[in-house]
Amino acid sequence: MITEPSSGKIADAITFNDDVSDLKKNISGNVLIPGDEHYDITRAVWNGMIDKKPAIIIQCRNNEDVVYAILYARKHNLNVSVRGGGHNVAGNAVCDAGVMVDLSLMKEIKVDPAQQMVTAEAGVIWSELDEATQHFGLATTGGTVSETGIAGLTLGGGIGWLMSMFGTASDNLLSAEVVTAEGVVVHTDKHNSRDLFWAIRGGGGNFGVVTKFTFKLHKIGPMVTGGMLLYPMEMAKEVMKFYRKFVPATPDELVMFAGFICTPDGIPVTALLTAWFGPQEQAEKMLAPIRAFATPIADMVGPIPYTQLQKSLDAAAPKGIRRYWKSGFFSQLSDELIDIQLHHLQTRPNPMTPVLLFYLKGEVTRINPAETAFYNRKQRWDLDIVTQWIDKTEDEKNIAWTRNFWKAIEPFSEGVYVNHLDRDDSERMRSAYGENYNQLKKIKTIFDPQNFFCMNNNIPPEE
Ligand SMILES: Cc1cc2nc3c(=O)[nH]c(=O)nc-3n(C[C@H](O)[C@H](O)[C@H](O)COP(=O)(O)OP(=O)(O)OC[C@H]3O[C@@H](n4cnc5c(N)ncnc54)[C@H](O)[C@@H]3O)c2cc1C
């Protein structure tokens, strides 16, 4: 049985006025409208293609501000979008003519080293959380680009370097504070509002605004061994064959991603990105098979602070340029799939565009898919066509190339990671959630029957 949200005191206590100047007086954060000095910079998100203009941006500082923002939007019948780190490729953090609830000022982080836990507010990004927890030699699974928000990434699942050892970011969530569509603050964990807790671990921003996250922490670093090896494109097939054979058989502490990238001077190369999180004295031995199978043109693998490893892909993902993505899970990295990738890469319209492969193995795959909303847990590759370019006049060319590439590989795909869906992917939501989809719909119907939170990868309530 699904538990319903209880009534909240804050919502009852708030009386509010329609006027924006009253709104400004009543919240401790900022209110921005078109024409205000910081309006344009605040509505800008990571994907430069997104150019939406909210009627009002409410920059919240605490739960009360979020409640106020929600009640204000409801009263004025305005759509609401929620911004955590602003990194979502689909640009769901911002909306046209509605209320953008911007959480980026909510930055409090409290580490409890004795209990190995951290509580962080929803505006925190991964570099900030990693810095705070690594101070105590602790970490939890986070994203592979450090400027991504902890909020959106965790709510969609959260895959990263530590998932083989500790599961997804959402698997490490111990509790959360959620402001519901009714403006009620709910504390949720394994014992309280259990259905809500199940749903927010993978179901995205469909169930409310999550203002606080408490994560389990693990002993990691501060030094680990990791980095990138580069091979010429002529060796691409050989590298991929090694990768598909080697990585599934590795222990949880060894992680390897792969990619087709270009060097800063535009030369296409095949990359293996690897890390060893076990005892550092074993690193050389564990990484030896990678070095033995072929000689790379560059070997940048060595001792590295965990915080630096977490930033190692940042330079390849600069804020503000134009983007279009296609992504899917693949259970086989077959010869045919490799060949199709290499064929399409020959006509890559922009050298900034990488194609990345992450491999799900270890703890993330051992957890039952029914345990949380995050469903696609089989051992498999997540393949991402991360098309990037700068010039607006090249939109059509880049989008067409990505769609053609995707059309060729889609027949091999099995499911998708919700956080990698772009703006034209809404029909793929069911494949993100498989057998969990109907349960998510039921929980949505209880917590948000009018689909107030619809500016997201949306799970509509039952009819
Ligand atoms: C360069 C890059 C690298 C990435 N690497 C990884 C990776 O390694 N692993 C991985 O798992 N994912 C990765 N992602 C995907 C990432 O998880 C999603 O883009 C995620 O949505 C980003 O979170 P955010 O808070 O920055 O997003 P935002 O754009 O702020 O929000 C995205 C959506 O999440 C929801 N949301 C955000 N905050 C809240 C909140 N507090 N309460 C309720 N709903 C909220 C909203 O629906 C919003 O529409 C990457 C994305 C990019 C752009």
Side-chain angles (χ1 to χ4, degrees), residues 150-341:
I150 63 162
L153 184 136
T154 303
L155 296 174
I159 61 175
W161 285 107
L162 299 181
M163 66 181 160
S164 309
M165 291 175 77
F166 309 123
T168 63
S170 55
D171 293 331
N172 288 282
L173 194 66
L174 295 172
S175 67
E177 267 176 28
V178 186
V179 180
T180 68
E182 291 175 345
V184 174
V185 182
V186 176
H187 172 90
T188 178
D189 57 27
K190 277 197 170 154
H191 309 289
N192 301 288
S193 291
R194 281 163 44 194
D195 305 302
L196 181 62
F197 191 57
W198 181 88
I200 62 167
R201 287 177 290 160
N206 277 287
F207 308 93
V209 182
V210 182
T211 53
K212 239 178 225 178
F213 298 80
T214 298
F215 296 99
K216 196 191 311 176
L217 294 172
H218 312 269
K219 289 192 174 126
I220 284 289
M223 292 300 287
V224 298
T225 298
M228 202 184 285
L229 300 111
L230 302 181
Y231 304 85
M233 281 311 278
E234 301 78 69
M235 286 177 65
K237 198 156 182 183
E238 192 187 334
V239 175
M240 284 298 127
K241 284 182 170 181
F242 166 77
Y243 177 49
R244 79 177 175 204
K245 188 167 176 211
F246 176 71
V247 68
T250 50
D252 294 355
E253 295 88 344
L254 199 146
V255 178
M256 189 184 266
F257 306 140
F260 300 107
I261 60 171
C262 287
T263 60
D265 41 1
I267 300 167
V269 288
T270 306
L272 292 178
L273 296 86
T274 193
W276 169 252
F277 296 105
Q280 288 306 289
E281 62 279 10
Q282 293 175 14
E284 283 296 320
K285 187 174 134 218
M286 298 311 295
L287 299 171
I290 309 167
R291 290 185 164 125
F293 103 90
T295 308
I297 44 179
D299 178 346
M300 294 169 269
V301 178
I304 179 172
Y306 173 74
T307 49
Q308 277 308 116
L309 181 74
Q310 284 286 86
K311 290 179 184 163
S312 56
L313 292 178
D314 286 9
K319 188 181 172 188
I321 63 171
R322 306 178 81 76
R323 263 103 185 186
Y324 183 74
W325 283 16
K326 284 289 171 212
S327 168
F329 285 118
F330 295 81
S331 58
Q332 305 289 329
L333 194 52
S334 65
D335 284 358
E336 198 180 352
L337 183 58
I338 296 170
D339 285 342
I340 298 173
Q341 289 180 73

Side-chain angles (χ1 to χ4, degrees), residues 17-57:
N17 204 305
D18 300 354
D19 194 32
V20 169
S21 60
D22 276 332
L23 180 62
K24 284 183 180 172
K25 275 187 227 143
N26 277 303
I27 67 159
S28 41
N30 307 324
V31 178
L32 303 171
I33 54 171
D36 282 351
E37 192 189 344
H38 299 294
Y39 173 83
D40 282 327
I41 198 163
T42 311
R43 73 182 176 89
V45 288
W46 177 81
N47 184 354
M49 284 200 83
I50 309 299
D51 182 24
K52 294 187 195 155
K53 297 189 174 78
I56 184 161
I57 301 174

Side-chain angles (χ1 to χ4, degrees), residues 315-423:
K319 188 181 172 188
I321 63 171
R322 306 178 81 76
R323 263 103 185 186
Y324 183 74
W325 283 16
K326 284 289 171 212
S327 168
F329 285 118
F330 295 81
S331 58
Q332 305 289 329
L333 194 52
S334 65
D335 284 358
E336 198 180 352
L337 183 58
I338 296 170
D339 285 342
I340 298 173
Q341 289 180 73
L342 296 177
H343 170 74
H344 282 269
L345 282 159
Q346 281 169 11
T347 55
R348 174 165 36 192
N350 195 304
M352 296 175 90
T353 293
V355 172
L356 301 173
L357 287 148
F358 297 87
Y359 189 69
L360 267 60
K361 68 178 179 99
E363 184 62 8
V364 60
T365 64
R366 286 191 289 263
I367 295 170
N368 187 324
E371 180 93 12
T372 71
F374 182 80
Y375 176 77
N376 286 307
R377 291 182 177 274
K378 287 194 189 135
Q379 288 217 9
R380 57 179 66 190
W381 279 271
D382 170 59
L383 192 161
D384 305 321
I385 310 169
V386 183
T387 308
Q388 327 193 91
W389 66 101
I390 292 170
D391 191 343
K392 195 177 176 173
T393 62
E394 294 180 1
D395 287 0
E396 213 179 304
K397 179 171 76 173
N398 280 278
I399 292 171
W401 177 81
T402 316
R403 285 188 176 145
N404 269 339
F405 189 164
W406 176 244
K407 208 170 144 195
I409 62 171
E410 189 176 14
F412 303 92
S413 78
E414 290 172 36
V416 64
Y417 174 34
V418 73
N419 272 347
H420 289 170
L421 292 175
D422 211 326
R423 9 202 211 294

Side-chain angles (χ1 to χ4, degrees), residues 2 73 138 235 317:
I2 294 169
L138 298 167
M235 286 177 65

